[in-house]
Amino acid sequence: MTAPHEFSALDQYRLLQRGELGVVELTQHYLDRIGARDGELGAFFTVTAERALERARHVEMHVPRSTRLWGMPFADKDLWRREGVRTTFGSRAFANFVPEASDELPGVLDEAGGISLGKTATPEFGMTSHSETLLAPPARNPWNLDLGPGGSSGGAAAAVSAGLLPFAPGSDGGGSIRIPAAACGLVGIKPSRGRVPALSGIDALGGLPVAGPIARSVVDAAFLLDGMIGRRGSVIDDHFALRAPSEDDGDFLGFAIRGEGRFQIGVCVDSPWSSSHELVIDPEITAVLADTVALLSALDHGIEEVGLEPAPEYGSAFTTVWQAGAAQIRIESGAPIEAEADADADGDVEPLTRWLRRRGRELTAVQLAQALAELSRFERRTIDRFSGFDAVLTPTLALLPRPIGWYDAADPERNFAQQVEYSPFSSYVNAAGLPAITLPVGTSSDSLPIGMQLIGRPGGESVLLSIARQLERRLRWEEKHPPIWS
């Protein structure tokens, strides 16, 4: 008999809708898998089993089946508060913090009928491309437990890849959805700025962080994305006059299921970080990129190489904005995670966080204004450069998944540089506010997944889903699973 986790997320939802699978039954199934496997994986910081089962009973009896995620288990990334549930932000400074109110995104997922099973692992304040923290043992990659799953949504990706969740929401300020999705053989979507109102990027410094889905397939990722967007009736619950461009407000699931169209695709291996860092792409990733180009060509898409305009100030500008964002973090227990910078002690934070915060506090208003202006200019140049293409293909990562302990824990500047070397193709998509999707398209000689990234036009998620689904139909990667799956 097929176990529930072996079905796609959408098929699980359909089974729930038909009454062939119970909401409590599905919730218990995933809780059992977490209990049996997460000890070696470290994907969760907190599991809320009793609360999840109580919620499942409530959903089954009282929540309309028409809600978009009715009865579907997920988990909150531990950067988001959930009322009454320990929320650590990946930091020892908040090891025992229990918020009295929830952040908006967990509420949107609840309104969609979802059931949170707990909190997934994340590095301290989500500031890194790995998921190692002094708070807890590191999250591990299901494909090889000696390797990391990437970050900062590393726990979420590890859980989905290992079949401990059907899908999971993540957040992405510089690659934090796409990096772990690629490392763990998953699909991850970084939506356009403004697409998901609950975490839109519009009200954030530099417009960088947005929320998006991590899933085992393109269809499942679109399914969760629709649930994350949030609607009042049929109208998207936008919070700002500025919003993501879109041809319509229809569901993305339809585009992913159909997977139709022929498009003009650019191929780019440039990174704006190359002006400030020595970047090397692993030859195995380069080979998979070539295979992907050949497959796209065989699918009758137009293919053309494209490069980025030189951006010698990008690295400095992005680093300045990242440091300024860290400077806003309050360490006083129970204080808001985003608030006016204070002079509290740095004793409980890790070296990288301490370095980022102190550098951020040394910045002048003029320096920050100049950095923000540079990122804005970069956004305009990049959108113009890519305007002749429906999508642009890049590697998701420059290197294969990194071993646990590879990142320098003592030297924060070296740690930051290593993050750039690992993932030089992700942060500039955030700076430009563009949508992007990563999906697994190949494997290394050690059977590790290799992902490729498609970057879209502003508001172009539907095209990305269509192209990605065409690739997925040929590759059938969603049928492959890591050793820990069984």
Side-chain angles (χ1 to χ4, degrees):
M1 182 177 179
T2 305
H5 70 277
E6 296 181 56
F7 292 99
S8 71
L10 183 59
D11 282 342
Q12 291 173 51
Y13 178 76
R14 288 168 172 163
L15 290 170
L16 290 170
Q17 289 287 311
R18 294 196 297 265
E20 297 175 24
L21 182 64
V23 177
V24 175
E25 178 187 2
L26 183 61
T27 301
Q28 186 65 64
H29 175 76
Y30 279 107
L31 288 171
D32 290 344
R33 284 188 63 79
I34 293 167
R37 290 168 173 78
D38 193 52
E40 58 182 327
L41 194 61
F44 285 81
F45 281 161
T46 302
V47 179
T48 53
E50 292 184 9
R51 183 173 175 137
L53 290 169
E54 180 181 354
R55 165 73 175 165
R57 288 188 285 270
H58 173 78
V59 168
E60 201 158 40
M61 296 297 295
H62 302 293
V63 175
R65 287 177 181 246
S66 59
T67 53
R68 289 173 177 267
L69 301 177
W70 188 79
M72 292 299 296
F74 69 94
D76 302 300
K77 185 176 179 179
D78 206 23
L79 297 184
W80 307 323
R81 299 173 183 85
R82 181 173 285 276
E83 179 185 1
V85 178
R86 184 180 78 127
T87 302
T88 71
F89 311 105
S91 175
R92 293 174 299 173
F94 288 86
N96 300 308
F97 173 55
V98 179
E100 297 179 356
S102 298
D103 285 329
E104 184 179 1
L105 187 58
V108 169
L109 293 166
D110 288 351
E111 289 180 11
I115 299 166
S116 175
L117 306 189
K119 296 297 197 75
T120 54
T122 185
E124 190 166 53
F125 305 119
M127 301 297 291
T128 70
S129 63
H130 56 79
S131 292
E132 300 173 45
T133 173
L134 296 178
L135 174 72
R140 296 180 179 273
N141 193 315
W143 292 88
N144 182 332
L145 296 178
D146 292 328
L147 305 178
S152 65
S153 305
V160 174
S161 180
L164 309 189
L165 291 171
F167 47 35
S171 58
D172 191 317
S176 289
I177 288 171
R178 291 158 289 154
I179 294 166
C184 294
L186 300 172
V187 176
I189 299 175
K190 180 258 172 217
S192 300
R193 186 179 296 140
R195 174 67 66 206
V196 178
L199 189 54
S200 67
I202 292 173
D203 55 347
L205 195 64
L208 300 176
V210 298
I214 296 172
R216 292 198 300 272
S217 72
V218 175
V219 169
D220 285 352
F223 174 34
L224 179 54
L225 177 59
D226 284 333
M228 295 176 71
I229 287 174
R231 297 170 187 259
R232 299 201 180 276
S234 61
V235 180
I236 294 175
D237 185 23
D238 288 306
H239 303 344
F240 303 95
L242 179 66
R243 59 170 297 178
S246 181
E247 294 180 1
D248 57 61
D249 287 338
D251 291 351
F252 288 114
L253 180 59
F255 291 101
I257 290 174
R258 291 189 297 273
E260 297 173 341
R262 296 293 178 264
F263 303 98
Q264 190 67 22
I265 299 173
V267 180
C268 182
V269 292
D270 286 351
S271 167
W273 289 104
S274 61
S275 297
S276 55
H277 292 70
E278 184 175 349
L279 305 177
V280 177
I281 304 176
D282 187 288
E284 293 194 88
I285 294 175
T286 300
V288 171
L289 174 64
D291 291 342
T292 307
V293 170
L295 178 53
L296 287 167
S297 181
L299 291 168
D300 293 330
H301 297 292
I303 304 292
E304 182 180 343
E305 292 185 3
V306 61
L308 292 170
E309 289 189 17
E313 303 300 323
Y314 173 85
S316 174
F318 187 91
T319 303
T320 294
V321 173
W322 206 250
Q323 291 167 339
Q328 298 180 85
I329 298 171
R330 291 176 61 100
I331 305 302
E332 180 184 351
S333 183
I337 199 65
E338 291 180 2
E340 182 180 356
D342 60 356
D344 54 336
D346 285 331
D348 285 335
V349 302
E350 299 175 20
L352 177 66
T353 303
R354 186 178 302 116
W355 173 70
L356 289 169
R357 295 178 75 225
R358 289 182 176 176
R359 287 293 179 87
R361 289 174 173 179
E362 293 169 357
L363 294 169
T364 66
V366 170
Q367 288 174 315
L368 179 56
Q370 290 173 336
L372 290 170
E374 174 57 32
L375 292 188
S376 181
R377 288 190 292 269
F378 176 83
E379 176 179 355
R380 293 184 63 180
R381 291 197 305 267
T382 301
I383 291 173
D384 180 66
R385 192 72 168 176
F386 289 171
S387 63
F389 303 95
D390 298 297
V392 172
L393 176 72
T394 80
T396 308
L397 302 171
L399 305 174
L400 297 173
R402 299 291 82 197
I404 298 291
W406 181 76
Y407 290 92
D408 195 318
D411 183 343
E413 294 187 63
R414 175 58 185 149
N415 187 299
F416 193 86
Q418 287 173 304
Q419 294 181 60
V420 172
E421 293 162 10
Y422 181 43
S423 54
F425 306 108
S426 55
S427 70
Y428 79 81
V429 185
N430 299 79
L434 296 173
I437 186 170
T438 181
L439 72 159
V441 293
T443 56
S444 73
S445 57
D446 292 330
S447 300
L448 297 174
I450 294 177
M452 290 291 136
Q453 173 177 244
L454 286 162
I455 305 168
R457 288 174 169 155
E461 285 89 343
S462 59
V463 170
L464 298 182
L465 290 166
S466 297
I467 299 171
R469 180 61 182 141
Q470 292 175 32
L471 289 170
E472 188 174 70
R473 284 196 189 112
R474 289 291 188 96
L475 299 169
R476 305 186 71 84
W477 179 274
E478 72 275 19
E479 298 176 359
K480 300 178 183 179
H481 305 297
I484 199 174
W485 177 270
S486 59

